[in-house]
Amino acid sequence: MRLGLQVSRFAFEGAPASTGATWWAVARDADQAGLASLWVMDHWFQMAMVGDPGEDMLEGYTTLSHAAAVTERIELGTLVTGVTYRHPGLLLKTVTTLDVLSGGRAWLGIGAGWYEEEHVGLGVPFPSTGERFELLEDTLELAHRMFADDDSRFEGRVVTAERPLNHPQPVRRPPIMVGGGGERKTLRLVAQYADACNLFDTGLGPEGIPRKLDVLGGHCEDVGRDYDEISKTCLARLTMDTGAPLPEGVHGHSVEEAVHRLGRLGEAGIDHVICSMANTTDHAAYDLVAEVVSRVA
């Protein structure tokens, strides 16, 4: 099993003056702890289920570029980019640039998008659900073209690109993760276009995940895709207990508790768990993270 870290809050102590240095330390700690991947939310406003919409939120790809400069091995992605946030060709050029500058460590994390409030707030169009899924499928098709140096004219359902030139090419073709567990559309797109799915431990748990993966397997059969080619990832809340105070309601895990919980997710079919920690800025937490990484490997 591989472990990753998702950072969803940037309201660091002393922010915004401290934000750059704090994020630098988080990225370095994650890299040195042996985590496989580092992810940020790609939102403009904070999500209501995490904090107040007015809480500090950084733009995703600028943040990842900063992390790329101070890390050596860890892979980098957004969990996930709403397809409405950037024009598809620009998004793919951005991901390619991150891949080149990081030496081949970028992911394309993408989904249909859902956060209407931030679109309305910043004046960005927010199409209907059906239109967003059409845009998502066009973007996935265009990604396969642009990442393979095919600049022939592309005409999709809603996107037309006369010459989708993408130079330089990625150092490594960025793996594509489609976020969400929608059984009719989202998991079909995973089967058809993606290298990884992303499910949520919260709400599904080890008991509910196998059903989603069974649905994914059915879609793979329908499109002639090898189910085993797809990495099964999930986002889980997992905070290591260093003895320092934690936010109210947050349970700190020992190494043994973390290994047990991750083992249950592994038994459910997950091979890459992306952890959302409540104490990402606690340097001491990463010594425990490193032990967990070693144990679950």
Side-chain angles (χ1 to χ4, degrees):
M1 175 180 285
R2 305 174 80 215
L3 292 186
L5 173 68
Q6 185 215 36
V7 179
S8 59
R9 304 194 80 163
F10 299 95
F12 301 138
E13 184 177 351
S18 68
T19 299
T22 304
W23 172 241
W24 182 95
V26 169
R28 290 287 291 172
D29 281 344
D31 193 39
Q32 293 174 2
L35 287 165
S37 58
L38 176 62
W39 308 80
V40 297
M41 294 199 304
D42 198 14
H43 282 297
W44 303 320
F45 296 178
Q46 180 59 275
M47 301 188 303
M49 65 279 287
V50 176
D52 185 272
E55 184 179 294
D56 288 4
M57 178 56 61
L58 301 181
E59 190 280 320
Y61 285 100
T62 309
T63 306
L64 291 174
S65 294
H66 187 272
V70 299
T71 57
E72 298 175 357
R73 184 198 54 82
I74 201 165
E75 298 180 351
L76 305 163
T78 60
L79 193 63
V80 291
T81 288
V83 73
T84 52
Y85 292 178
R86 301 167 187 82
H87 186 280
L90 175 60
L91 170 63
L92 300 173
K93 182 69 176 179
T94 301
V95 173
T96 298
T97 300
L98 176 63
D99 188 77
V100 169
L101 295 180
S102 67
R105 293 188 281 138
W107 280 71
L108 169 60
I110 194 165
W114 60 271
Y115 199 175
E116 185 173 8
E117 180 182 349
E118 61 187 358
H119 289 73
V120 173
L122 294 184
V124 177
F126 188 71
S128 69
T129 300
E131 291 172 311
R132 297 200 310 276
F133 272 97
E134 287 183 333
L135 182 61
L136 176 57
E137 188 157 9
D138 278 359
T139 303
L140 291 167
E141 289 184 0
L142 186 59
H144 281 272
R145 296 264 296 268
M146 289 181 65
F147 291 160
D149 203 15
D150 179 356
D151 66 353
S152 59
R153 185 178 189 274
F154 174 81
E155 185 167 359
R157 297 150 193 81
V158 293
V159 175
T160 298
E162 291 295 336
R163 189 187 181 197
L165 185 64
N166 191 32
H167 288 172
Q169 278 284 285
V171 174
R172 173 192 70 167
R173 184 185 72 81
I176 298 171
M177 172 194 286
V178 173
E183 297 182 5
R184 188 169 64 89
K185 291 184 177 180
T186 304
L187 293 178
R188 177 187 65 80
L189 294 176
V190 172
Q192 195 161 355
Y193 299 104
D195 302 287
C197 65
N198 183 255
L199 304 173
F200 294 97
D201 178 32
T202 304
L204 283 176
E207 301 79 14
I209 286 171
R211 168 180 162 72
K212 295 291 185 182
L213 296 182
D214 284 344
V215 172
L216 175 60
H219 286 303
C220 287
E221 289 183 12
D222 291 342
V223 301
R225 179 78 183 278
D226 183 352
Y227 172 80
D228 292 332
E229 289 180 354
I230 299 171
S231 177
K232 290 79 179 176
T233 82
C234 80
L235 178 64
R237 292 175 182 163
L238 188 69
T239 296
M240 305 309 300
D241 187 358
T242 66
L246 293 171
E248 185 177 353
V250 173
H251 171 70
H253 294 83
S254 67
V255 169
E256 290 298 331
E257 288 175 325
V259 169
H260 175 71
R261 183 173 177 195
L262 294 167
R264 292 192 65 207
L265 291 171
E267 290 169 353
I270 297 297
D271 55 47
H272 189 162
V273 178
I274 300 165
C275 301
S276 178
M277 301 199 316
N279 56 350
T280 54
T281 61
D282 184 350
H283 177 74
Y286 293 91
D287 290 335
L288 302 176
V289 167
E291 188 174 346
V292 174
V293 168
S294 177
R295 290 276 297 273
V296 303

